[in-house]
Amino acid sequence: MSPAGNEFVIEHYEKKIYDQKQLLEISKALNSTLDYRYLIDVILNICLAQLQTLNAAMYLEPEVDSTMFRLEQSFKGFEIGDREINFAIPMDSPMVHFLAEKPKATMLKAILAIPELTKDPIVTFFHKLGAEVIVPLNAKGRVNGLLILGEKMTMSEYLEDEKEFMTTLASLAGIAVENARLYELATVDMMTSLKVHHYFQTKLKEEMDRCRKKGTNLTLLFTDIDKFKVFNDTYGHQAGDVVLIEVAKQLINNAGKHDIAARYGGEEFCIVMPGATEEEGYEMGERVRKSVESMVVANPNGGEDLKVTLSVGISSFNTNDRSNKDLIERADKALYQAKHSGRNQTICFKPS
């Protein structure tokens, strides 16, 4: 073999070794978290960095018994309008069946060359979107999602090594996403998408322990929808459920990256704010309260739109706190004061 040929072979195997090392590190990263949203973001960013593309998106199952894949909102680069965002992919579609039989990274142009798939609406949709590669995610012997990549920044073709890399990445990602989704199902209230009570209690204890060890701040918000029983009696429980969902969205949308928005029980929601001072907690309480006050919810029964207000109580960790109960009781007392001194306000706990 010529020296040039030897150099090519050496370079090829060096790249193989590098890719394997990268996949090992990626596998560690994917298995180090059960945070569903964070995990999806990690997977998409890995694609951008490793494959030199500006466009990456994932279609996953939104619910346990879903028959469709839907776009995850953390997509990168693709110009996706409202119509495209709502586009759902049936799990029993011809293209998904094709990918299930050949679970590997596949160029869209190769799919377009298959007569029975040419007119598949999903294939047409991806073509219009500017997708170049479709990669099925797999877990427990079935396709549990799709990874979509756009063209490379260099405008060059995807190499076979890169397609192999994507296939392996997708198999790792499929398992990681499935594990994270199962964990989320166990820790998230299905109606409101807030964390459940036992998760809230566990994380609050962890954060209080961290405060004791490191001297950091911690603030807790308790919220309650004003006169919710009267609201339910007036408009019915279906309207009440819609309002709970919309109020929960305000907490989720306003909560910071490291905050924990949870459902304490009934219409009582809370936010755990690691590292936050009482002043920052008050500012958060006011943001949430004002966003709920300005919120207009369509009445599921027809008729007039629905409006509610929120009362908020704030407490902050102090070194005398022995358990979750201490911090919770102070937030609850502040909330009681907010509700019994006019409602629709944020009050920080002050010792009597």
Side-chain angles (χ1 to χ4, degrees):
M1 185 178 292
S2 68
N6 281 330
E7 284 182 18
F8 177 80
V9 171
I10 292 169
E11 186 178 321
H12 173 75
Y13 281 106
E14 282 179 345
K15 187 177 186 310
K16 282 273 189 183
I17 293 168
Y18 174 79
D19 285 348
Q20 291 301 317
K21 286 181 178 178
Q22 288 295 100
L23 285 167
L24 181 61
E25 291 304 312
I26 288 167
S27 179
K28 289 178 184 177
L30 296 183
N31 287 298
S32 68
T33 181
L34 286 170
D35 185 321
Y36 189 68
R37 303 297 161 196
Y38 174 74
L39 181 64
I40 291 165
D41 205 50
V42 166
I43 294 166
L44 294 177
N45 282 325
I46 287 169
C47 291
L48 299 186
Q50 296 292 324
L51 300 164
Q52 297 181 321
T53 178
L54 294 173
N55 305 317
M58 291 179 74
Y59 282 80
L60 298 171
E61 303 169 74
E63 297 164 0
V64 177
D65 57 351
S66 178
T67 59
M68 300 278 190
F69 292 127
R70 293 194 179 274
L71 177 69
E72 285 296 325
Q73 298 303 300
S74 52
F75 62 88
K76 313 291 183 182
F78 284 115
E79 293 184 9
I80 299 179
D82 292 341
R83 190 172 179 181
E84 288 84 5
I85 281 177
N86 293 322
F87 186 86
I89 299 172
M91 293 179 183
D92 61 354
S93 68
M95 193 193 77
V96 174
H97 280 301
F98 169 79
L99 292 170
E101 291 174 7
K102 297 181 179 180
K104 61 181 182 179
T106 305
M107 300 300 296
L108 186 64
K109 65 181 180 181
I111 295 174
L112 284 166
I114 301 169
E116 57 267 33
L117 296 180
T118 302
K119 294 182 180 179
D120 186 332
I122 300 160
V123 177
T124 304
F125 170 76
F126 283 146
H127 182 59
K128 288 180 179 177
L129 197 63
E132 292 273 326
V133 187
I134 315 296
V135 197
L137 275 62
N138 282 274
K140 299 180 180 177
R142 68 183 186 90
V143 175
N144 68 330
L146 300 173
L147 176 61
I148 317 300
L149 303 178
E151 66 183 9
K152 294 174 69 174
M153 288 185 284
T154 58
M155 307 293 286
S156 59
E157 292 282 329
Y158 282 96
L159 303 175
E160 286 304 314
D161 285 352
E162 291 171 323
K163 286 187 274 187
E164 286 177 21
F165 180 91
M166 282 185 272
T167 300
T168 307
L169 172 62
S171 66
L172 296 172
I175 296 166
V177 165
E178 183 72 8
N179 290 339
R181 197 167 71 91
L182 291 173
Y183 180 73
E184 180 161 286
L185 288 172
T187 60
V188 171
D189 177 66
M190 288 298 101
M191 184 174 78
T192 62
S193 297
L194 295 166
K195 292 295 184 181
V196 294
H197 183 92
H198 73 81
Y199 182 91
F200 155 75
Q201 292 283 8
T202 301
K203 296 303 288 186
L204 182 61
K205 183 180 184 302
E206 288 177 5
E207 293 303 333
M208 290 179 73
D209 289 343
R210 184 175 285 112
C211 287
R212 292 187 192 97
K213 291 176 183 176
K214 298 189 176 181
T216 52
N217 294 314
L218 175 65
T219 294
L220 175 64
L221 278 71
F222 255 42
T223 75
D224 189 74
I225 300 172
D226 296 326
K227 297 184 178 180
F228 190 66
K229 185 179 184 306
V230 175
F231 181 93
N232 261 345
D233 291 344
T234 303
Y235 296 102
H237 287 284
Q238 186 181 5
D241 287 350
V242 172
V243 163
L244 287 175
I245 291 166
E246 293 304 316
V247 171
K249 283 181 184 176
Q250 304 310 315
L251 270 76
I252 293 167
N253 292 340
N254 280 285
K257 184 177 180 181
H258 301 293
D259 297 339
I260 301 149
R263 187 176 188 180
Y264 189 77
E267 72 274 17
E268 281 193 320
F269 302 156
C270 54
I271 303 178
V272 180
M273 298 179 64
T277 62
E278 185 176 280
E279 291 77 15
E280 290 168 329
Y282 179 82
E283 290 171 4
M284 171 69 78
E286 280 294 276
R287 281 202 303 274
V288 172
R289 184 191 65 78
K290 289 175 181 177
S291 65
V292 169
E293 184 180 29
S294 62
M295 186 178 74
V296 177
V297 180
N299 192 330
N301 303 314
E304 63 184 35
D305 288 336
L306 308 173
K307 287 187 72 67
V308 294
T309 59
L310 198 70
S311 294
V312 186
I314 311 286
S315 66
S316 292
F317 174 83
N318 68 53
T319 52
N320 295 323
D321 288 335
R322 293 167 296 173
S323 67
N324 290 8
K325 184 180 176 182
D326 297 324
L327 192 57
I328 291 169
E329 280 187 350
R330 293 201 303 277
D332 199 42
K333 286 177 180 177
L335 176 59
Y336 180 89
Q337 186 181 350
K339 291 188 76 68
H340 289 81
S341 59
R343 300 186 181 86
N344 191 26
Q345 58 184 311
T346 301
I347 289 183
C348 296
F349 174 81
K350 297 299 178 189
S352 54

